[in-house]
């Protein structure tokens, strides 16, 4: 289901905006990454994909979303 949702967001012909009011970890972070814009509330929210650190299988659309969002050097460090 996550793969289908990420792919739909990445291929959406209209802008998608993620409104974040706290932590965005794992799937939440990936959903935000797949959006065209992200707006985060002020505060101590944490964003991340801990799956990468422990070697959990990562959906291809998730990698595409991160690749489009992150600087190549940052993506290399994350994987």
């Amino acid at each position: 289901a996550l793969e289908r949702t990420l792919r739909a967001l990445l291929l959406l012909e209209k802008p998608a905006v993620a409104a974040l009011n706290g932590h965005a970890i794992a799937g939440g972070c990936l959903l935000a990454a797949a959006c065209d814009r992200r707006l985060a509330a002020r505060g101590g929210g944490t964003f991340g994909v801990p799956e990468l650190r422990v070697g959990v299988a990562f959906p291809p659309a998730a990698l595409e979303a991160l690749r489009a969002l992150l600087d190549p050097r940052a993506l290399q460090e994350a994987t």
Side-chain angles (χ1 to χ4, degrees):
L2 179 61
E3 171 75 13
R4 284 192 313 272
T5 303
L6 293 173
R7 192 161 300 285
L9 276 171
L10 290 169
L11 298 174
L12 191 63
E13 294 182 8
K14 295 182 180 182
V17 179
L20 308 161
N21 65 356
H23 302 299
I25 306 296
C29 184
L30 295 174
L31 287 171
C35 291
D36 298 297
R37 296 279 187 255
R38 287 145 298 284
L39 300 172
R42 291 183 184 180
T46 301
F47 306 95
V49 283
E51 301 94 327
L52 290 175
R53 292 183 184 232
V54 295
V56 172
F58 221 59
L63 285 175
E64 288 304 314
L66 292 176
R67 190 173 287 125
L69 179 63
L70 296 175
D71 173 85
R73 201 171 333 145
L75 182 62
Q76 182 64 32
E77 290 175 12
T79 56

